Amino acid sequence: MSERTLRLYDTMTRQVKPLELIEPGCLRFYSCGPTVYSYAHIGNFRTFLTADLVIRTAEAIGWTVKYVSNITDVGHLTQDDVADAGGEDKMASALKSKEGEQFNNVWELAEYYEDAFREDWARLNLREPFVRPRATQHMREQIVAAEQLIEQGYAYETPTGVYFSVDSFKGYGKLSGNTQENLRKAVREVVLDDNKKEQADFALWKKDDKHLMQWYSPFGWGFPGWHLECSVMARMYLGDTLDLHAGGEDLVFPHHECEIAQSEALTGKPFSNHWIHTRFLQVNGEKMSKRTGNFYTVRSLLEKGADPLAIRYALISGIYTKPLNFTDQGLSDAMGNIERFKRSDAAVAAALENGGDGPDTIGVALDELYEQALDAMTNDLNTSVALAKALEGTRVIQREAESLSKASGESGKRYLDRINALLGIVRPEREVAGPAVVTPASKVDEARIQALIDERAAAKKAKNFARADEIRKELDAEGIELRDSPEGTNWVVKTAL
RNA sequence: GGUGCCGUGCCCAAGUGGCCCAAGGGGACGGUCUGCAAAACCGUUAUUCGGCGGUUCGAAUCCGCCCGGCACCUCCA
């Protein structure tokens, strides 16, 4: 298995190619994180899940992963066509919105949404980065980088800020195809800013002594440009050249293009040897937006009764290089599949506890399926095939669920453990701290349900099936489904999904 | 105008030159099991891959044109 490699589509060369590591066996990986001005939505999480699957697959083939994902808490502006002339910071804008009224200042707002983000992250079984740097904690490094770029002739200062001169870096446009030449041909009307030499020049530092978040620099009070943080933090924690850099498809241009320009101008070395970008998530066939009411966050789905693992499953059910359509039906399908993994997990646990001495009848088949799933993942993260193989394994287990030997139970456990490590869909991996989200399940009266179940059991024993069915029907109307088994009656909260 | 992507069964979605008369999930239908229900398991459900032409011994996969959809071109994951 150490012979395996991880093949991924590279945005720069536009082909699928193996990840080549600078340091054998150690993947240096940077993934752009969220701007914490609101709750992250499920589209954000599709991108973060792509990074998570890279990490899991890399670990499964025996690599260690140095993974860094940042928190953007300053400098990301709302409208960049006028940004360099004075667009508003996303954080400041959020503070003024209705949701922002509960916060005393932008710092509190950032902290609140960062905490919420970390909770959602943990609920979806995403691997933790070894460091999650914040832009605001790396001011010094960003200021130094801007100064160095000026010294080296790649940037210049004006009365409004420090700008990177796109013409000074000949590789500009190599990632996105948006070379200066192509940009000049764009028909789009842009607001000209007399403070810059070229329209495409982007800000490394914005001078602004009225800004809600400002720092002192040799250029005066102000704040750093959005692109600079990633260049600086990636270099600081992972070195001059990364093995892999990831993000959403919208980041190809301008964000990553600008990162490349800054970093390579600064170091004279390639910034990243491989680039992956996750295509956008559509919701019910449309672009997700607050306006059309199809804007889903992790917590809004939990409140509707979704299992966080099902959200994860639905978001990784399609391959990251293609747009994925997230639908209510898809989430509901995912709920059913997650149930299958959980039932298999329970069957295996039962076999380990009470299984007989018979031979292991499923180990060979399960090992084969795991290998196929891993192969699929190493082939450009083919999650659709990997999930198909993973599900086949549950069928192998369920087929013999009533009669699994202890030895089979051990094989089953090993299989589910490995599938969970690879795909993260069998069980929650971490306790989630923080305020509980109110779900349908947290609102039911458990004692009353148990009383009705007991009554029904008595009725069944007395062959009073009419009363037993009545109770089933009554609870069903309240959204509670009863499930009889040899061990007794369980219940689950039915969801509206 | 520039750059890139996609169109596979009722729905979601793999497959990108022969192993494909096309995975897997959902749905539907039939069966086993069950007081009922659920779950589980078994079986059936695309001679066909947006349309038309072409290349090839061979095409869902390559090429051309057309139709339809999407993304980016300084808000966005």
Side-chain angles (χ1 to χ4, degrees), chain A residues 327-381:
Chain A
T327 60
D328 294 335
Q329 177 67 52
L331 182 57
S332 161
D333 292 355
M335 292 282 275
N337 288 132
I338 291 299
E339 274 298 306
R340 278 174 59 176
F341 286 108
K342 287 186 172 169
R343 264 189 265 273
S344 295
D345 210 20
V348 161
L352 284 172
E353 187 90 357
N354 310 311
D357 290 331
D360 175 8
T361 53
I362 60 177
V364 173
L366 291 181
D367 283 348
E368 169 96 359
L369 286 168
Y370 172 75
E371 294 297 322
Q372 290 174 350
L374 180 55
D375 279 342
M377 291 303 286
T378 59
N379 183 23
D380 203 18
L381 304 182

Coordinates of all heavy atoms in Angstrom, one line a residue, chain A residues 327-381:
Chain A
T327 N -29.9 18.4 -2.9 CA -31.3 18.4 -2.9 C -31.8 17.9 -1.6 O -31.1 17.1 -0.9 CB -31.9 17.6 -4.1 OG1 -31.5 16.2 -3.9 CG2 -31.5 18.1 -5.4
D328 N -33.1 18.2 -1.3 CA -33.7 17.6 -0.1 C -33.7 16.1 -0.2 O -33.5 15.3 0.7 CB -35.1 18.2 0.1 CG -35.0 19.7 0.4 OD1 -34.0 20.1 0.9 OD2 -36.0 20.4 0.2
Q329 N -34.0 15.6 -1.5 CA -34.1 14.2 -1.7 C -32.7 13.6 -1.5 O -32.6 12.5 -0.9 CB -34.5 14.0 -3.2 CG -34.5 12.5 -3.6 CD -35.6 11.7 -2.9 OE1 -36.7 12.0 -2.8 NE2 -35.1 10.6 -2.2
G330 N -31.6 14.3 -1.9 CA -30.3 13.8 -1.7 C -29.9 13.7 -0.3 O -29.3 12.7 0.1
L331 N -30.3 14.6 0.5 CA -30.1 14.6 1.9 C -30.8 13.4 2.6 O -30.3 12.7 3.4 CB -30.4 15.9 2.6 CG -30.1 16.0 4.1 CD1 -28.7 15.8 4.4 CD2 -30.6 17.4 4.6
S332 N -32.0 13.2 2.1 CA -32.9 12.2 2.7 C -32.2 10.8 2.3 O -32.2 9.9 3.1 CB -34.3 12.3 2.1 OG -35.0 11.1 2.2
D333 N -31.8 10.7 1.1 CA -31.1 9.5 0.6 C -29.9 9.2 1.5 O -29.6 8.1 2.0 CB -30.6 9.6 -0.8 CG -31.7 9.6 -1.8 OD1 -32.9 9.4 -1.4 OD2 -31.4 9.8 -3.0
A334 N -29.2 10.3 1.8 CA -28.0 10.2 2.6 C -28.3 9.7 4.0 O -27.6 8.9 4.6 CB -27.2 11.5 2.7
M335 N -29.4 10.2 4.6 CA -29.9 9.8 5.9 C -30.0 8.2 5.9 O -29.6 7.6 6.9 CB -31.2 10.4 6.2 CG -31.2 11.9 6.4 SD -30.6 12.4 8.0 CE -32.1 12.3 9.0
G336 N -30.6 7.7 4.9 CA -30.8 6.2 4.8 C -29.5 5.5 4.7 O -29.3 4.5 5.4
N337 N -28.6 6.0 4.0 CA -27.3 5.4 3.9 C -26.5 5.4 5.2 O -25.8 4.4 5.5 CB -26.5 6.0 2.7 CG -27.0 5.6 1.4 OD1 -27.2 6.5 0.5 ND2 -27.3 4.4 1.2
I338 N -26.6 6.5 5.9 CA -25.9 6.6 7.1 C -26.5 5.6 8.1 O -25.8 5.0 8.9 CB -26.0 8.1 7.7 CG1 -25.2 9.0 6.8 CG2 -25.6 8.1 9.2 CD1 -23.7 8.8 6.8
E339 N -27.8 5.4 8.0 CA -28.5 4.4 8.9 C -27.9 3.0 8.6 O -27.7 2.2 9.5 CB -30.0 4.4 8.6 CG -30.8 5.4 9.3 CD -30.7 5.2 10.8 OE1 -31.0 4.0 11.3 OE2 -30.3 6.1 11.6
R340 N -27.6 2.8 7.4 CA -27.1 1.5 7.0 C -25.7 1.2 7.7 O -25.4 0.2 8.2 CB -27.0 1.3 5.5 CG -28.3 0.9 4.9 CD -28.3 0.9 3.4 NE -27.3 -0.1 2.8 CZ -27.1 -0.3 1.5 NH1 -27.9 0.3 0.7 NH2 -26.2 -1.1 1.1
F341 N -24.9 2.3 7.6 CA -23.6 2.1 8.3 C -23.8 2.0 9.8 O -23.1 1.2 10.4 CB -22.7 3.4 8.0 CG -22.2 3.4 6.6 CD1 -22.7 4.3 5.7 CD2 -21.2 2.5 6.2 CE1 -22.2 4.3 4.4 CE2 -20.7 2.5 4.9 CZ -21.2 3.4 4.0
K342 N -24.7 2.7 10.4 CA -24.9 2.6 11.8 C -25.4 1.2 12.2 O -25.0 0.6 13.2 CB -25.8 3.7 12.3 CG -25.2 5.1 12.3 CD -26.1 6.1 12.8 CE -25.3 7.4 13.0 NZ -26.2 8.6 13.3
R343 N -26.3 0.7 11.4 CA -26.8 -0.6 11.7 C -25.8 -1.7 11.6 O -25.7 -2.7 12.4 CB -28.0 -1.0 10.8 CG -29.3 -0.7 11.4 CD -30.4 -1.2 10.5 NE -30.9 -0.1 9.6 CZ -31.9 0.7 10.0 NH1 -32.5 0.6 11.1 NH2 -32.3 1.6 9.1
S344 N -24.9 -1.5 10.5 CA -23.8 -2.5 10.4 C -22.9 -2.4 11.5 O -22.4 -3.4 12.1 CB -23.1 -2.2 9.1 OG -23.9 -2.4 8.0
D345 N -22.6 -1.2 12.0 CA -21.7 -1.0 13.1 C -22.3 -1.7 14.3 O -21.6 -2.4 15.1 CB -21.6 0.5 13.4 CG -20.3 0.9 14.0 OD1 -19.3 0.1 13.8 OD2 -20.2 2.0 14.6
A346 N -23.6 -1.6 14.5 CA -24.3 -2.2 15.7 C -24.2 -3.7 15.6 O -24.0 -4.4 16.5 CB -25.7 -1.7 15.8
A347 N -24.4 -4.2 14.3 CA -24.4 -5.7 14.1 C -23.0 -6.3 14.4 O -22.9 -7.3 15.0 CB -24.8 -6.0 12.7
V348 N -22.0 -5.5 14.0 CA -20.6 -5.9 14.3 C -20.3 -5.9 15.8 O -19.7 -6.8 16.3 CB -19.7 -5.0 13.5 CG1 -18.3 -5.1 14.0 CG2 -19.7 -5.4 12.0
A349 N -20.8 -4.9 16.4 CA -20.5 -4.8 17.9 C -21.2 -5.9 18.6 O -20.6 -6.5 19.5 CB -21.1 -3.4 18.4
A350 N -22.4 -6.3 18.1 CA -23.1 -7.4 18.8 C -22.4 -8.7 18.6 O -22.3 -9.5 19.4 CB -24.5 -7.5 18.2
A351 N -21.8 -8.9 17.3 CA -21.1 -10.1 17.1 C -19.8 -10.2 17.9 O -19.5 -11.3 18.4 CB -20.7 -10.1 15.6
L352 N -19.2 -9.1 18.1 CA -18.0 -9.1 19.0 C -18.3 -9.5 20.4 O -17.6 -10.1 21.1 CB -17.3 -7.7 19.0 CG -16.5 -7.4 17.7 CD1 -16.1 -5.9 17.7 CD2 -15.3 -8.3 17.5
E353 N -19.5 -9.1 20.8 CA -20.0 -9.4 22.2 C -20.5 -10.8 22.3 O -20.0 -11.5 23.2 CB -21.2 -8.4 22.5 CG -21.7 -8.4 23.9 CD -20.9 -7.4 24.7 OE1 -20.0 -6.7 24.2 OE2 -21.2 -7.3 25.9
N354 N -21.3 -11.2 21.4 CA -22.0 -12.5 21.5 C -21.8 -13.5 20.4 O -22.4 -14.5 20.4 CB -23.5 -12.3 21.6 CG -23.9 -11.2 22.6 OD1 -23.4 -11.2 23.7 ND2 -24.7 -10.3 22.2
G355 N -20.9 -13.2 19.5 CA -20.7 -14.0 18.3 C -20.2 -15.4 18.7 O -19.5 -15.6 19.7
G356 N -20.4 -16.4 17.8 CA -20.0 -17.7 18.0 C -18.6 -17.9 17.6 O -17.9 -17.0 17.2
D357 N -18.1 -19.2 17.6 CA -16.7 -19.5 17.3 C -16.5 -19.8 15.9 O -15.4 -20.2 15.5 CB -16.3 -20.7 18.1 CG -16.2 -20.4 19.6 OD1 -15.9 -19.2 19.9 OD2 -16.4 -21.3 20.4
G358 N -17.5 -19.6 15.0 CA -17.3 -20.0 13.6 C -16.2 -19.2 12.9 O -15.5 -18.4 13.5
P359 N -15.9 -19.6 11.7 CA -14.9 -18.9 10.9 C -15.3 -17.5 10.5 O -16.4 -17.1 10.6 CB -14.8 -19.8 9.7 CG -16.1 -20.4 9.5 CD -16.7 -20.6 10.9
D360 N -14.3 -16.8 10.0 CA -14.5 -15.5 9.5 C -15.0 -15.6 8.0 O -14.2 -16.0 7.2 CB -13.2 -14.7 9.5 CG -13.3 -13.3 8.9 OD1 -14.4 -12.9 8.5 OD2 -12.3 -12.6 8.7
T361 N -16.2 -15.3 7.8 CA -16.8 -15.5 6.5 C -16.9 -14.3 5.6 O -17.3 -14.3 4.5 CB -18.2 -16.1 6.6 OG1 -19.0 -15.2 7.4 CG2 -18.2 -17.5 7.2
I362 N -16.5 -13.1 6.2 CA -16.7 -11.9 5.5 C -15.4 -11.1 5.3 O -15.3 -10.1 4.5 CB -17.7 -11.0 6.1 CG1 -17.3 -10.6 7.6 CG2 -19.1 -11.6 6.2 CD1 -18.2 -9.7 8.3
G363 N -14.3 -11.5 6.0 CA -13.1 -10.7 6.0 C -12.5 -10.5 4.6 O -12.1 -9.3 4.2
V364 N -12.4 -11.5 3.8 CA -11.8 -11.4 2.5 C -12.6 -10.5 1.6 O -12.0 -9.6 1.0 CB -11.7 -12.8 1.8 CG1 -11.2 -12.7 0.4 CG2 -10.8 -13.7 2.7
A365 N -13.9 -10.6 1.6 CA -14.7 -9.7 0.8 C -14.6 -8.3 1.2 O -14.5 -7.4 0.4 CB -16.2 -10.2 0.8
L366 N -14.6 -8.1 2.5 CA -14.5 -6.7 3.0 C -13.2 -6.0 2.7 O -13.1 -4.9 2.4 CB -14.8 -6.7 4.5 CG -16.2 -7.0 4.9 CD1 -16.4 -7.0 6.5 CD2 -17.3 -6.1 4.3
D367 N -12.1 -6.8 2.9 CA -10.8 -6.3 2.6 C -10.7 -5.8 1.1 O -10.2 -4.7 0.8 CB -9.7 -7.3 2.8 CG -9.4 -7.5 4.3 OD1 -9.9 -6.6 5.1 OD2 -8.7 -8.4 4.7
E368 N -11.3 -6.7 0.3 CA -11.3 -6.3 -1.2 C -12.1 -5.0 -1.4 O -11.6 -4.2 -2.2 CB -12.0 -7.5 -1.9 CG -12.3 -7.2 -3.4 CD -11.2 -7.7 -4.3 OE1 -10.2 -8.3 -3.8 OE2 -11.4 -7.6 -5.5
L369 N -13.2 -4.9 -0.8 CA -14.0 -3.7 -1.0 C -13.3 -2.5 -0.4 O -13.4 -1.4 -1.0 CB -15.4 -3.9 -0.3 CG -16.3 -4.8 -1.0 CD1 -17.5 -5.1 -0.1 CD2 -16.8 -4.2 -2.3
Y370 N -12.6 -2.6 0.7 CA -11.9 -1.5 1.2 C -10.8 -1.0 0.2 O -10.6 0.2 0.0 CB -11.2 -1.8 2.6 CG -10.4 -0.6 3.0 CD1 -10.9 0.6 3.5 CD2 -9.0 -0.7 2.9 CE1 -10.1 1.6 3.8 CE2 -8.2 0.4 3.2 CZ -8.7 1.5 3.7 OH -7.9 2.6 4.0
E371 N -10.1 -2.0 -0.3 CA -9.0 -1.7 -1.3 C -9.6 -0.9 -2.5 O -9.0 0.0 -3.0 CB -8.3 -2.9 -1.7 CG -7.5 -3.6 -0.6 CD -6.4 -2.8 -0.1 OE1 -5.7 -2.0 -0.9 OE2 -6.1 -2.8 1.1
Q372 N -10.8 -1.4 -2.9 CA -11.4 -0.7 -4.1 C -11.8 0.7 -3.7 O -11.7 1.6 -4.6 CB -12.6 -1.6 -4.6 CG -12.2 -2.9 -5.2 CD -13.4 -3.8 -5.6 OE1 -14.5 -3.5 -5.1 NE2 -13.1 -4.8 -6.3
A373 N -12.3 0.9 -2.5 CA -12.7 2.2 -2.1 C -11.5 3.1 -2.0 O -11.5 4.3 -2.5 CB -13.4 2.1 -0.7
L374 N -10.4 2.6 -1.5 CA -9.2 3.4 -1.4 C -8.6 3.7 -2.8 O -8.2 4.9 -3.1 CB -8.2 2.7 -0.6 CG -6.8 3.4 -0.4 CD1 -7.0 4.8 0.2 CD2 -5.9 2.6 0.5
D375 N -8.7 2.7 -3.7 CA -8.3 3.0 -5.1 C -9.1 4.1 -5.7 O -8.5 5.0 -6.3 CB -8.5 1.7 -5.9 CG -7.3 0.7 -5.8 OD1 -6.3 1.1 -5.3 OD2 -7.5 -0.4 -6.1
A376 N -10.4 4.1 -5.5 CA -11.2 5.2 -6.0 C -10.8 6.5 -5.5 O -10.7 7.5 -6.2 CB -12.7 4.9 -5.7
M377 N -10.5 6.6 -4.2 CA -10.2 7.9 -3.6 C -8.8 8.4 -4.1 O -8.6 9.6 -4.3 CB -10.1 7.7 -2.0 CG -11.5 7.6 -1.4 SD -12.7 8.9 -1.8 CE -12.0 10.2 -0.8
T378 N -7.9 7.5 -4.3 CA -6.6 7.9 -4.8 C -6.7 8.3 -6.3 O -5.8 9.0 -6.8 CB -5.5 6.8 -4.7 OG1 -5.9 5.7 -5.4 CG2 -5.3 6.4 -3.2
N379 N -7.8 8.0 -6.9 CA -7.9 8.4 -8.3 C -8.8 9.6 -8.4 O -10.0 9.6 -8.7 CB -8.6 7.2 -9.1 CG -8.8 7.5 -10.5 OD1 -8.1 8.4 -11.1 ND2 -9.7 6.9 -11.2
D380 N -8.2 10.7 -8.0 CA -8.9 12.1 -8.0 C -10.1 12.1 -7.2 O -11.1 12.7 -7.6 CB -9.2 12.4 -9.5 CG -9.3 14.0 -9.6 OD1 -8.9 14.7 -8.8 OD2 -9.9 14.4 -10.6
L381 N -10.0 11.5 -6.0 CA -11.1 11.6 -5.0 C -12.5 11.2 -5.6 O -13.4 11.9 -5.6 CB -11.2 13.0 -4.4 CG -10.0 13.5 -3.7 CD1 -10.3 14.9 -3.1 CD2 -9.4 12.6 -2.6

